[in-house]
Amino acid sequence: MVRIMRTNWYTRLRSKALTALALAISSQATLPTVFAQDAAPASKVGDLISEVVSAETEIQVPLRRAKIIRTKKDVIRTAVADPTIVEFVAFGPREVSFIGKTTGSTTVAIWLGDKENSQVLSLLVTVTKDDAVDDQRRMEYGELNVMVNELFPNSRIQLIPVADKLIVRGEARDEEEAVKIIGLLTDRASVGSNSQSNPFNAGDAARPFPEASDLTQTQVINMLKVPGVKQVMLKVRIAELKRSASRDLGADFDFNIKEFMVKSTLAGGGNLMASGTFKDGSFNLVLKALVKNGSAKILAEPNLVTLSGKPATFLAGGEFAVPTVVGVGGAQAATTSFKGFGTSISFTPIVLDKDRVRLEVQPTFSTLNRTNAVNGVFGTDTRTVTTTVEMREGQVLAIAGLLQEQQRGDSTRLPLVGDVPWLNVLTSSKTIARDETELLILVTPELVHPLEPNQAPTILPGMEVTEPHDLDFFIYGDIEGRPDCHHRSTVWPLYKSRLKRCQDVEAQSKSSNYFFSGKHGFSD
């Protein structure tokens, strides 16, 4: 067995050696043929091309600067590979200039000497950025930085020119000073803007000084921070009182004299009627006198929280459908939009100082008016106020004096007879109505912080309202249960039957798990 394995190993080794020797012999036989095929193109290139000129030296030219070169021989002609990078200007036969136009590299070929026997010089011209411009920007904006800090001693800013941008960092005393600083550094200032709500591009930078040299166009990146609380809670209280009164006076009568009858229904809105009858005489008189007084009180207290410079809106009420027909001719279609009514608040607070707030508030209060309906769509009685004030935290803005009075009177009477005193009571109908409305809006801004989890209220409105059990509901008539009794009419019949079947305490406690509310649900 060992001899057979050695014989197989020797046979494989001998086969590999013979294969390698055959490949070597074949490669040596084809080697002169390959060299013969490559020798022809190389000989042709050598016969047609005498010299390939590459870049022999490198010249660096700053951007928007020039570099003059004086040669020992006359310059016959030149060739610039990319004229957008460098510009070639000849001042004489032996003086040339390279002017950097844009950053980059390009090759410039120059022919020197006589036309019959000229020499070619190839140059690699590299246009580099101008460091003097960056130094100039840092110097000019550095002086402007000192001036701004002197103008606003309560704020500390830092101007950092980076690439084509000017970064404004630091802290401003309040929002008003932040707006003034950005307005001083930019060409166009947005007076009502908020630096913290717009921390990015604030516009193009202004020139540091009137006599300063023209710099590249620079954009201002506003990264100013205003310390303090930036969350504002607006407490709004809207109170409206309506009073109405009306008085009606009129009389209805009818009397028959032989064949003649006279009847009046003025109080009911009718007219005088006369007709002939054949009944006995009779007389009926109905006097109508009515005095009506009414009052209504509406109170709304919405609270809103928003960031400084961000608007917030609130609507407490409802919406009603308003059908609208769009299109013309046969292409008409009906659409439905919804219009809101109720108490609506829209406000935008801007924190100017630690506790001074500029407030733009627009409260709107609207109610449905069924008497002002058009095509079945209700109308609304709307009261809107728009104002802008500055106030301290905790102060109250009272929008008062919103009074409205309406008075109307109607009189219906018989001609001539209705103008006679005392007799007009029977021959006329009079109505007088008066409506008075008073609206008061109180606004209080407060700077607030978010609550920690342990500060949040654990008992929310409605958590203590439970369902009454059968005894309290059917016998005592209660519609709310006891706070400590979590009765559930959905499972009470099943729970009651299980209690009857459970005799021991352990089984009763297991059954109670089905009824009592657990940590994450009504029951386990």
PDB file of all heavy atoms in Angstrom, residues 10-25:
ATOM      1  N   TYR A  10       5.086  10.225  -7.465  1.00  0.00           N
ATOM      2  CA  TYR A  10       6.190  10.433  -8.413  1.00  0.00           C
ATOM      3  C   TYR A  10       5.637  10.685  -9.808  1.00  0.00           C
ATOM      4  O   TYR A  10       6.144  11.517 -10.559  1.00  0.00           O
ATOM      5  CB  TYR A  10       7.105   9.200  -8.394  1.00  0.00           C
ATOM      6  CG  TYR A  10       8.227   9.263  -9.417  1.00  0.00           C
ATOM      7  CD1 TYR A  10       9.339  10.093  -9.202  1.00  0.00           C
ATOM      8  CD2 TYR A  10       8.168   8.497 -10.580  1.00  0.00           C
ATOM      9  CE1 TYR A  10      10.344  10.148 -10.135  1.00  0.00           C
ATOM     10  CE2 TYR A  10       9.186   8.560 -11.510  1.00  0.00           C
ATOM     11  CZ  TYR A  10      10.295   9.394 -11.289  1.00  0.00           C
ATOM     12  OH  TYR A  10      11.306   9.459 -12.219  1.00  0.00           O
ATOM     13  N   THR A  11       4.581   9.967 -10.174  1.00  0.00           N
ATOM     14  CA  THR A  11       3.989  10.137 -11.506  1.00  0.00           C
ATOM     15  C   THR A  11       3.417  11.549 -11.673  1.00  0.00           C
ATOM     16  O   THR A  11       3.592  12.206 -12.707  1.00  0.00           O
ATOM     17  CB  THR A  11       2.882   9.095 -11.708  1.00  0.00           C
ATOM     18  OG1 THR A  11       3.442   7.788 -11.547  1.00  0.00           O
ATOM     19  CG2 THR A  11       2.281   9.206 -13.095  1.00  0.00           C
ATOM     20  N   ARG A  12       2.728  12.065 -10.660  1.00  0.00           N
ATOM     21  CA  ARG A  12       2.148  13.404 -10.752  1.00  0.00           C
ATOM     22  C   ARG A  12       3.240  14.465 -10.830  1.00  0.00           C
ATOM     23  O   ARG A  12       3.133  15.436 -11.582  1.00  0.00           O
ATOM     24  CB  ARG A  12       1.234  13.666  -9.531  1.00  0.00           C
ATOM     25  CG  ARG A  12      -0.064  12.863  -9.579  1.00  0.00           C
ATOM     26  CD  ARG A  12      -1.061  13.437  -8.577  1.00  0.00           C
ATOM     27  NE  ARG A  12      -0.537  13.377  -7.209  1.00  0.00           N
ATOM     28  CZ  ARG A  12      -0.757  12.349  -6.382  1.00  0.00           C
ATOM     29  NH1 ARG A  12      -1.461  11.294  -6.808  1.00  0.00           N
ATOM     30  NH2 ARG A  12      -0.255  12.337  -5.168  1.00  0.00           N
ATOM     31  N   LEU A  13       4.311  14.323 -10.061  1.00  0.00           N
ATOM     32  CA  LEU A  13       5.398  15.295 -10.085  1.00  0.00           C
ATOM     33  C   LEU A  13       6.073  15.316 -11.449  1.00  0.00           C
ATOM     34  O   LEU A  13       6.408  16.381 -11.990  1.00  0.00           O
ATOM     35  CB  LEU A  13       6.411  14.954  -8.981  1.00  0.00           C
ATOM     36  CG  LEU A  13       7.611  15.898  -8.862  1.00  0.00           C
ATOM     37  CD1 LEU A  13       7.128  17.316  -8.550  1.00  0.00           C
ATOM     38  CD2 LEU A  13       8.553  15.416  -7.768  1.00  0.00           C
ATOM     39  N   ARG A  14       6.278  14.151 -12.026  1.00  0.00           N
ATOM     40  CA  ARG A  14       6.930  14.073 -13.352  1.00  0.00           C
ATOM     41  C   ARG A  14       6.036  14.715 -14.411  1.00  0.00           C
ATOM     42  O   ARG A  14       6.528  15.403 -15.319  1.00  0.00           O
ATOM     43  CB  ARG A  14       7.196  12.600 -13.693  1.00  0.00           C
ATOM     44  CG  ARG A  14       7.909  12.408 -15.033  1.00  0.00           C
ATOM     45  CD  ARG A  14       8.122  10.939 -15.292  1.00  0.00           C
ATOM     46  NE  ARG A  14       8.752  10.738 -16.588  1.00  0.00           N
ATOM     47  CZ  ARG A  14       9.013   9.535 -17.127  1.00  0.00           C
ATOM     48  NH1 ARG A  14       8.678   8.429 -16.448  1.00  0.00           N
ATOM     49  NH2 ARG A  14       9.589   9.433 -18.314  1.00  0.00           N
ATOM     50  N   SER A  15       4.740  14.524 -14.330  1.00  0.00           N
ATOM     51  CA  SER A  15       3.815  15.124 -15.304  1.00  0.00           C
ATOM     52  C   SER A  15       3.844  16.646 -15.244  1.00  0.00           C
ATOM     53  O   SER A  15       3.852  17.350 -16.248  1.00  0.00           O
ATOM     54  CB  SER A  15       2.406  14.612 -15.043  1.00  0.00           C
ATOM     55  OG  SER A  15       1.500  15.240 -15.916  1.00  0.00           O
ATOM     56  N   LYS A  16       3.889  17.221 -14.039  1.00  0.00           N
ATOM     57  CA  LYS A  16       3.964  18.679 -13.885  1.00  0.00           C
ATOM     58  C   LYS A  16       5.255  19.227 -14.441  1.00  0.00           C
ATOM     59  O   LYS A  16       5.282  20.283 -15.083  1.00  0.00           O
ATOM     60  CB  LYS A  16       3.813  19.048 -12.401  1.00  0.00           C
ATOM     61  CG  LYS A  16       2.410  18.794 -11.860  1.00  0.00           C
ATOM     62  CD  LYS A  16       2.333  19.227 -10.403  1.00  0.00           C
ATOM     63  CE  LYS A  16       0.943  18.987  -9.862  1.00  0.00           C
ATOM     64  NZ  LYS A  16       0.844  19.416  -8.433  1.00  0.00           N
ATOM     65  N   ALA A  17       6.359  18.540 -14.249  1.00  0.00           N
ATOM     66  CA  ALA A  17       7.659  19.020 -14.750  1.00  0.00           C
ATOM     67  C   ALA A  17       7.667  19.036 -16.271  1.00  0.00           C
ATOM     68  O   ALA A  17       8.157  19.984 -16.903  1.00  0.00           O
ATOM     69  CB  ALA A  17       8.779  18.140 -14.212  1.00  0.00           C
ATOM     70  N   LEU A  18       7.123  18.015 -16.879  1.00  0.00           N
ATOM     71  CA  LEU A  18       7.102  17.971 -18.351  1.00  0.00           C
ATOM     72  C   LEU A  18       6.207  19.078 -18.911  1.00  0.00           C
ATOM     73  O   LEU A  18       6.526  19.699 -19.937  1.00  0.00           O
ATOM     74  CB  LEU A  18       6.592  16.588 -18.801  1.00  0.00           C
ATOM     75  CG  LEU A  18       7.538  15.400 -18.513  1.00  0.00           C
ATOM     76  CD1 LEU A  18       6.891  14.083 -18.905  1.00  0.00           C
ATOM     77  CD2 LEU A  18       8.870  15.580 -19.239  1.00  0.00           C
ATOM     78  N   THR A  19       5.111  19.373 -18.239  1.00  0.00           N
ATOM     79  CA  THR A  19       4.212  20.451 -18.717  1.00  0.00           C
ATOM     80  C   THR A  19       4.882  21.802 -18.631  1.00  0.00           C
ATOM     81  O   THR A  19       4.784  22.644 -19.539  1.00  0.00           O
ATOM     82  CB  THR A  19       2.932  20.446 -17.880  1.00  0.00           C
ATOM     83  OG1 THR A  19       2.307  19.164 -17.978  1.00  0.00           O
ATOM     84  CG2 THR A  19       1.950  21.492 -18.380  1.00  0.00           C
ATOM     85  N   ALA A  20       5.624  22.086 -17.559  1.00  0.00           N
ATOM     86  CA  ALA A  20       6.330  23.365 -17.414  1.00  0.00           C
ATOM     87  C   ALA A  20       7.408  23.504 -18.464  1.00  0.00           C
ATOM     88  O   ALA A  20       7.631  24.594 -19.008  1.00  0.00           O
ATOM     89  CB  ALA A  20       6.909  23.467 -16.007  1.00  0.00           C
ATOM     90  N   LEU A  21       8.128  22.427 -18.776  1.00  0.00           N
ATOM     91  CA  LEU A  21       9.196  22.485 -19.787  1.00  0.00           C
ATOM     92  C   LEU A  21       8.612  22.763 -21.162  1.00  0.00           C
ATOM     93  O   LEU A  21       9.181  23.558 -21.937  1.00  0.00           O
ATOM     94  CB  LEU A  21       9.954  21.151 -19.794  1.00  0.00           C
ATOM     95  CG  LEU A  21      11.122  21.055 -20.795  1.00  0.00           C
ATOM     96  CD1 LEU A  21      12.161  22.137 -20.489  1.00  0.00           C
ATOM     97  CD2 LEU A  21      11.756  19.672 -20.729  1.00  0.00           C
ATOM     98  N   ALA A  22       7.466  22.201 -21.462  1.00  0.00           N
ATOM     99  CA  ALA A  22       6.839  22.450 -22.770  1.00  0.00           C
ATOM    100  C   ALA A  22       6.384  23.903 -22.895  1.00  0.00           C
ATOM    101  O   ALA A  22       6.545  24.540 -23.948  1.00  0.00           O
ATOM    102  CB  ALA A  22       5.653  21.507 -22.960  1.00  0.00           C
ATOM    103  N   LEU A  23       5.860  24.502 -21.842  1.00  0.00           N
ATOM    104  CA  LEU A  23       5.453  25.900 -21.885  1.00  0.00           C
ATOM    105  C   LEU A  23       6.627  26.823 -22.057  1.00  0.00           C
ATOM    106  O   LEU A  23       6.578  27.826 -22.776  1.00  0.00           O
ATOM    107  CB  LEU A  23       4.684  26.258 -20.597  1.00  0.00           C
ATOM    108  CG  LEU A  23       3.303  25.601 -20.446  1.00  0.00           C
ATOM    109  CD1 LEU A  23       2.711  25.947 -19.074  1.00  0.00           C
ATOM    110  CD2 LEU A  23       2.375  26.054 -21.560  1.00  0.00           C
ATOM    111  N   ALA A  24       7.749  26.510 -21.407  1.00  0.00           N
ATOM    112  CA  ALA A  24       8.945  27.339 -21.543  1.00  0.00           C
ATOM    113  C   ALA A  24       9.471  27.305 -22.962  1.00  0.00           C
ATOM    114  O   ALA A  24       9.885  28.328 -23.526  1.00  0.00           O
ATOM    115  CB  ALA A  24      10.020  26.865 -20.557  1.00  0.00           C
ATOM    116  N   ILE A  25       9.498  26.110 -23.579  1.00  0.00           N
ATOM    117  CA  ILE A  25      10.000  26.007 -24.960  1.00  0.00           C
ATOM    118  C   ILE A  25       9.101  26.779 -25.910  1.00  0.00           C
ATOM    119  O   ILE A  25       9.562  27.492 -26.804  1.00  0.00           O
ATOM    120  CB  ILE A  25      10.103  24.511 -25.361  1.00  0.00           C
ATOM    121  CG1 ILE A  25      11.180  23.820 -24.527  1.00  0.00           C
ATOM    122  CG2 ILE A  25      10.412  24.371 -26.844  1.00  0.00           C
ATOM    123  CD1 ILE A  25      11.252  22.316 -24.736  1.00  0.00           C
TER     124      ILE A  25
END
